[in-house]
Each structure stands twice: as C-alpha cells, then as structure tokens.
C-alpha cells in the first residue's frame, strides 16, 4: 500500500477520535490564549519545497519595552506547556497531511533557515515528506542533540516502510503518554541549530611525510 494512501486511510478511520479532540482543543486555546488560535510558519517539505505548517498556538505575544517578543520560555504558558507535552499542539498538522504536504511519519519539518546549515548527509532528511512523528521523536525527542536527531531522520529515509511507520505510530503513543523528551535542558523546546562541526580529523590540516 502506498504511504499516501496509508496516511489518508488511517486519518479517515480515526476521524471520530481526532476531529472532536481537535475542535475541543481549539475552543480551549481560544479561551485561554485568545486569537489567533493557530500558529502558522513556513517550513521546508520534501525536496525542500516550502509549505505553511499549522499548529495550535502555545505562547502569548508578550513583548519587552522595545516591542520585541520575549524569549519562548517566558511566553510559554502552563496551558501551552501541557499542549506541547501531550503533543496536542500538533493536531492541526493533520490538515497538512490531508493536503499532501506532510505525512503521519517522517522527519519533523524544521525552520527554513536550517536548510543551508545541513551537511550533505543531514540534508537527506528532505528526500521524504516530513512527518508529525518520526524515529527521532520515539528515540529521545528533544532530549537528543541535533546531530542525533538528524541521524535518526536519515536512518528513517534509508529504511522507511509501512511496517516501520506502524511501529513508530505505536511508539509515539507510548512516548506521548510517558511525556518523555519534551524539551532540551534549559530550553522551551530545542536551542537553535547553527550547523554541525566537522569531525575532529577534518579540522587539522594534513601534513606530508
């Protein structure tokens, strides 16, 4: 069964569960955080094609005296932290799956500015459609370093199959229930990815004999 058909079939079968939950969370976000309900951001998809990813908003728009947004950790409310820890903030991404911009399983779509910072191997994560969950999310999530995350992403690209997708979806339910790896130490989620350092052997010039 093609991956796209698998995604659509699973969404259809699970609609009686996720549609009411999505609507209920939308109401709560509106009551607790106001509008807009959704957080929209341009992200790179398969082959680096840019699309607009949709999530539930989890932070306020609090700003400093100069009008600059306060750090994420300050603007993240207890309710928003609950949405993130339970992954309920990701539910609107099902719309991106329906549109074919994302898949249920695949490497997470990250920031556009990261595209030029990947090593050639790390860039392979864009050979498949991005996902709501993936190997990195069930093997440590945000407790992993960026390099570890990207290695899991590339491993998925190299071994992806429907059987693996089913396994990841089951492991995702377990990870969400246990709320593991929600954020990196001292961060609301993860620090900015600024590129990977080359292996130490590549840092020193080669000396002739």
């Amino acid at each position: 069964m093609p991956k796209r058909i698998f995604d659509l079939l699973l969404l259809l079968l699970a609609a009686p569960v996720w549609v009411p939950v999505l609507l209920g969370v939308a109401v709560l976000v509106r009551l607790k955080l106001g509008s807009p309900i959704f957080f929209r951001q341009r992200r790179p998809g398969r082959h680096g094609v840019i699309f607009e990813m949709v999530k539930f908003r989890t932070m306020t728009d609090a700003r400093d005296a100069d009008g600059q947004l306060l750090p994420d950790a300050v603007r993240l409310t207890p309710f928003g932290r609950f949405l993130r820890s339970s992954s309920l903030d990701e539910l609107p991404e099902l719309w991106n799956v329906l549109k074919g911009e994302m898949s249920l399983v695949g490497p997470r779509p990250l920031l556009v500015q990261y595209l030029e910072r990947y090593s050639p191997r790390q860039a392979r994560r864009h050979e498949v459609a991005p996902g709501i969950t993936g190997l990195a999310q069930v093997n440590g999530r945000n407790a992993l370093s960026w390099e570890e995350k990207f290695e899991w992403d590339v491993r998925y690209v190299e071994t992806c199959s429907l059987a693996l997708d089913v396994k990841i979806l089951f492991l995702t339910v377990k990870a969400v229930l246990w709320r593991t790896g929600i954020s990196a130490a001292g961060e609301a989620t993860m620090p900015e990815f600024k590129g990977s350092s080359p292996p130490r052997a590549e840092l020193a010039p080669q000396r002739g004999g």
Side-chain angles (χ1 to χ4, degrees):
M1 179 189 300
K3 184 177 177 68
R4 174 67 175 155
I5 295 178
F6 172 78
D7 284 346
L8 294 176
L9 182 61
L10 192 56
L11 281 180
L12 178 62
L13 293 174
V17 175
W18 65 262
V19 170
V21 174
L22 186 147
L23 294 176
V25 174
V27 171
L28 289 175
V29 172
R30 179 65 177 83
L31 292 174
K32 292 181 175 292
L33 295 175
S35 66
I37 294 173
F38 299 113
F39 169 76
R40 302 173 184 271
Q41 191 173 56
R42 297 170 72 246
R43 298 286 178 96
R46 188 178 185 187
H47 304 312
V49 176
I50 307 301
F51 70 98
E52 186 178 69
M53 189 184 74
V54 186
K55 300 175 66 172
F56 280 124
R57 189 158 72 101
T58 57
M59 294 187 289
T60 68
D61 292 325
R63 298 173 184 269
D64 60 21
D66 297 322
Q68 300 297 316
L69 287 171
L70 294 175
D72 289 359
V74 176
R75 295 187 294 121
L76 183 62
T77 66
F79 175 65
R81 197 176 300 277
F82 164 74
L83 291 181
R84 289 191 180 189
S85 66
S86 61
S87 296
L88 289 172
D89 64 318
E90 311 281 0
L91 278 176
E93 291 171 35
L94 295 175
W95 172 243
N96 294 118
V97 176
L98 288 171
K99 292 171 66 179
E101 297 164 333
M102 292 180 63
S103 176
L104 292 175
V105 180
R108 287 291 300 160
L110 301 176
L111 299 178
V112 174
Q113 58 262 38
Y114 290 0
L115 285 172
E116 61 185 20
R117 303 177 188 176
Y118 296 132
S119 69
R121 177 169 175 78
Q122 292 169 349
R124 293 197 60 198
R125 66 194 309 280
H126 290 290
E127 292 179 12
V128 298
I132 294 178
T133 186
L135 273 179
Q137 283 63 53
V138 298
N139 284 283
R141 200 174 174 182
N142 291 329
L144 300 173
S145 68
W146 281 116
E147 288 73 17
E148 290 170 326
K149 277 191 173 188
F150 297 148
E151 191 57 37
W152 281 115
D153 290 342
V154 175
R155 187 175 302 185
Y156 176 79
V157 170
E158 295 173 340
T159 62
C160 61
S161 66
L162 290 183
L164 180 58
D165 281 10
V166 171
K167 179 180 179 180
I168 291 172
L169 289 171
F170 276 111
L171 291 175
T172 297
V173 173
K174 178 181 177 181
V176 169
L177 291 176
W178 284 99
R179 299 188 182 185
T180 56
I182 296 168
S183 60
E187 301 285 342
T189 49
M190 285 286 291
E192 179 182 355
F193 173 63
K194 297 182 179 179
S196 299
S197 299
R200 186 172 298 275
E202 296 179 14
L203 295 177
Q206 297 294 319
R207 298 180 180 273

